[in-house]
Amino acid sequence: AETTRQNTEPILSALKGKNNITSSDLESNDIFYLCYQYYFEKMSKQNSTIEFKNLYNLFSDEEKKVWPIPLLGLYGGELTVEKMESLIQNTDKYKMRMDKCEAYFYLGLLRVCENKNQEAKKYFQLSKDQQVYDYIETTGDSYFLQKIK
């Protein structure tokens, strides 16, 4: 959790006091780091230091549709899984597979934090099924599918 926090602290500090943010303020990898930090905090029985709901609501309605910003809404309790899934639909099938790979992985991670292991396994499998082999999330899927009983 500490190493991840070292990555996220400068990101979160830069956003402090802003009334609105854009995807150039908070890039894809930044959002993924926040999800990892949440996971590590929860697994080490700490309270989360990230206010996902507040971050999500600093984006414009248009930006909230741009992947992976919906993850902030999902982790912040503002979006349902169904709404997130509708936002990753894309006519570009390759891009949709990549986004689904990430979406289902981070959804699986969230379910692990909620002690919903069977649901987590389902999402890790869905992520792995996208067959995006150059994504770290696919490696993570394999790890969690073996780890979760």
Side-chain angles (χ1 to χ4, degrees):
E2 220 35 61
T3 307
T4 312
R5 205 173 285 131
Q6 288 170 358
N7 287 323
T8 58
E9 214 166 90
I11 298 163
L12 294 172
S13 292
L15 299 176
K16 273 207 187 337
K18 289 197 175 213
N19 295 327
N20 61 347
I21 54 179
T22 66
S23 51
S24 60
D25 295 315
L26 195 61
E27 297 172 2
S28 296
N29 282 342
D30 298 339
I31 293 172
F32 300 145
Y33 279 132
L34 294 175
C35 293
Y36 283 120
Q37 181 177 331
Y38 179 82
Y39 168 76
F40 291 128
E41 287 172 342
K42 288 296 184 186
M43 292 300 103
S44 55
K45 307 281 189 260
Q46 299 174 30
N47 289 327
S48 177
T49 56
I50 302 161
E51 296 182 19
F52 286 99
K53 183 177 181 176
N54 293 352
L55 286 174
Y56 178 69
N57 286 317
L58 289 174
F59 284 96
S60 70
D61 288 345
E62 210 46 48
E63 287 248 357
K64 285 178 180 176
K65 297 174 187 169
V66 178
W67 184 256
I69 294 167
L71 273 178
L72 298 172
L74 186 73
Y75 274 64
E78 293 281 280
L79 280 186
T80 63
V81 172
E82 294 75 23
K83 180 65 177 164
M84 184 194 70
E85 286 176 322
S86 75
L87 292 172
I88 54 179
Q89 296 306 309
N90 196 314
T91 53
D92 179 340
K93 297 299 180 205
Y94 183 64
K95 171 147 181 35
M96 189 165 72
R97 267 187 38 230
M98 293 188 307
D99 293 351
K100 279 184 173 184
C101 176
E102 293 170 341
Y104 290 133
F105 174 79
Y106 292 102
L107 184 50
L109 212 56
L110 181 60
R111 293 301 182 251
V112 169
C113 294
E114 299 166 342
N115 290 316
K116 296 179 179 173
N117 287 349
Q118 289 314 304
E119 215 177 309
K121 279 175 82 166
K122 177 181 97 172
Y123 290 121
F124 289 129
Q125 188 61 56
L126 281 168
S127 174
K128 189 176 179 180
D129 289 347
Q130 303 309 309
Q131 300 179 341
V132 183
Y133 297 114
D134 53 341
Y135 271 19
I136 189 74
E137 287 83 1
T138 304
T139 305
D141 294 327
S142 297
Y143 168 79
F144 281 104
L145 286 168
Q146 288 179 354
K147 182 180 184 222
I148 298 171
K149 299 296 173 219

